[in-house]
Amino acid sequence: MDEVLLRSLTPSVLTVLVRRGADFAAAEDAVQDALVEAIRVWPAEPPRDAKGWLVTVAWRKFLDAARSDATRRRREDRVEEEPAPGPAPAVDDTLQLYFLCAHPSLTPASAVALTLRAVGGLTTRQIAAAYLVPEATMAQRISRAKRTVAGVRFDRPGDVATVLRVLYLVFNEGYSGDVDLAAEAIRLTRQVAAAVGHPEVAGLLALMLLHHARRAARTASDGSLVPLAEQDRGRWDTALIAEGVGILQAALARDRLGEFQAQAAIAALHADAPTAEETDWVQIVEWYDELTRLTDSPVVRLNRAVAVAEADGPRAGLAALAALDASLPRHAAVAAYLHERDGDLATAARLYAEAAHKAPNLAERDHLTRQAARLNARRCR
């Protein structure tokens, strides 16, 4: 290694780096690094152009150091911009996104579907099941909604009714579906209730609280579903029930009945009964009549058939069920229950097995399968 050559080349290499734009101190460091590299490499691989080799290596060392310094500075800047440790400020854009996605240029149904997909995080399959339509149909609806809003400004928020519908469906999926979204739906509905003094907002919040109060009792230790009549009512959250009932009573007192208030009234009657046998089914049927008048929903009519059976007997429930489309989700499960109540165990077992095959989730499928097995075992005795 010709150290004299290296020392003689140092000033000229340093000059080249400065002329290329490197500040003098950084250029000095880069040249020193290049010299160290030369001492390591040249004995085995001497270059043809010593100065050219040093300039190339020194410039690369300078660039590496400059990039590293810039990256370090960006990290330091980000650290300075980060919020201080501790509780974060109470700023949440989620609810604003719900209102923005419920855009006036969309139909309410399309706005709900788009918001559930884009903000609520539900899958197209889950949304389609909530709307009782094929998944392909819902996928097309969501695609059309995306195209509709692609070129519009999101400066006109949607109406409260659409946002409430979205929150209701998110809660239902969180309460009984694959993804736990119930608590988030309640949190956002509380925010709407604090900002909007509408009885239907209060009705939805009451409904959520009354259903959520029974959450702990809905499943056994092995994860299996526990029907309402068999739930340990000592596990119900009485504080949530009291809050929900109080909110509902205040909303009903305003005499502007809506579907969420009617649903909450039904939930409150269930929560008020000390035992399943003491449930006021006659009043529940009356509330289902109100709900049918407000919504004309086939799902409401299906639930009403169960309430009619409890109030007036299984034959009356089966008569109400006969007027409904058998393709409705959970129709087979309701029919199985009513036939069992009526003493037709063979038909009930068959319908439980059919319902299990159509069940939307594993827990419900297992529950219905066990019901079919239980009845088949009884018939074989």
Side-chain angles (χ1 to χ4, degrees), residues 55-369:
V55 168
T56 299
V57 173
W59 183 247
R60 288 174 181 169
K61 296 288 185 182
F62 166 74
L63 292 178
D64 289 343
R67 293 190 189 104
S68 177
D69 184 63
T71 301
R72 176 186 59 79
R73 290 180 183 277
R74 284 195 297 272
R75 286 198 301 267
E76 291 174 350
D77 290 341
R78 284 197 297 269
V79 169
E80 290 179 359
E81 293 170 359
E82 289 177 359
V91 175
D92 186 0
D93 293 332
T94 306
L95 189 59
Q96 183 181 6
L97 289 175
Y98 272 72
F99 274 94
L100 291 177
C101 283
H103 198 271
S105 63
L106 297 172
T107 64
S110 295
V112 170
L114 177 62
T115 313
L116 288 172
R117 186 72 186 93
V119 187
L122 273 64
T123 65
T124 304
R125 176 184 60 80
Q126 290 169 321
I127 302 169
Y131 270 92
L132 308 180
V133 299
E135 184 174 349
T137 301
M138 183 52 65
Q140 291 175 354
R141 184 179 300 177
I142 293 172
S143 295
R144 285 196 300 268
K146 289 179 178 178
R147 289 195 297 269
T148 299
V149 300
V152 302
R153 289 177 57 84
F154 280 83
D155 53 0
R156 292 188 297 154
D159 66 339
V160 174
T162 301
V163 173
L164 291 185
R165 176 63 50 188
V166 173
L167 291 170
Y168 172 67
L169 292 174
V170 169
F171 177 82
N172 281 347
E173 190 60 40
Y175 189 72
S176 60
D178 302 323
V179 183
D180 189 355
L181 299 167
E184 173 68 359
I186 291 174
R187 184 182 72 84
L188 294 173
T189 305
R190 285 189 185 278
Q191 291 184 16
V192 180
V196 180
H198 192 284
E200 269 297 83
V201 178
L204 177 59
L205 179 57
L207 174 64
M208 289 180 175
L209 295 175
L210 289 165
H211 276 299
H212 207 59
R214 304 200 301 260
R215 186 73 179 270
R218 291 187 71 251
T219 54
S221 57
D222 61 356
S224 59
L225 291 180
V226 180
L228 176 61
E230 300 172 18
Q231 288 177 14
D232 178 2
R233 300 186 177 219
R235 298 183 65 194
W236 290 2
D237 189 327
T238 55
L240 282 183
I241 291 174
E243 183 185 4
V245 169
I247 293 171
L248 173 63
Q249 289 174 339
L252 291 174
R254 299 174 65 179
D255 198 23
R256 294 168 61 189
L257 184 64
E259 64 170 298
F260 294 131
Q261 295 171 72
Q263 287 192 58
I266 294 169
L269 287 167
H270 283 298
D272 188 55
T275 65
E277 294 73 22
E278 297 174 83
T279 303
D280 189 345
W281 286 107
V282 172
Q283 194 173 351
I284 287 177
V285 171
E286 292 174 355
W287 276 111
Y288 270 120
D289 289 339
E290 287 285 352
L291 194 53
T292 301
R293 180 182 61 80
L294 290 165
T295 67
D296 195 29
S297 163
V299 175
V300 170
R301 293 181 183 275
L302 185 68
N303 291 330
R304 180 184 177 277
V306 176
V308 168
E310 298 293 347
D312 301 325
R315 295 287 174 90
L318 285 168
L321 187 66
L324 301 177
D325 187 344
S327 66
L328 275 174
R330 297 186 172 90
H331 184 284
V334 170
Y337 173 73
L338 297 183
H339 278 289
E340 181 184 357
R341 287 281 311 278
D342 196 39
D344 187 351
L345 302 189
T347 300
R350 175 180 59 79
L351 288 169
Y352 274 130
E354 179 185 327
H357 180 69
K358 299 176 180 178
N361 55 66
L362 182 60
E364 191 169 334
R365 186 189 70 188
D366 290 346
H367 170 73
L368 294 168
T369 300

Side-chain angles (χ1 to χ4, degrees), residues 9 12-14 16-17 20 30-31 33-35 37-38 42 47 49-64 67:
L9 291 175
S12 59
V13 173
L14 183 59
V16 172
L17 265 61
R20 287 188 178 184
V31 171
D33 289 339
L35 294 177
E37 188 71 6
W42 283 10
D49 179 2
K51 180 181 177 181
W53 188 97
L54 284 172
V55 168
T56 299
V57 173
W59 183 247
R60 288 174 181 169
K61 296 288 185 182
F62 166 74
L63 292 178
D64 289 343
R67 293 190 189 104

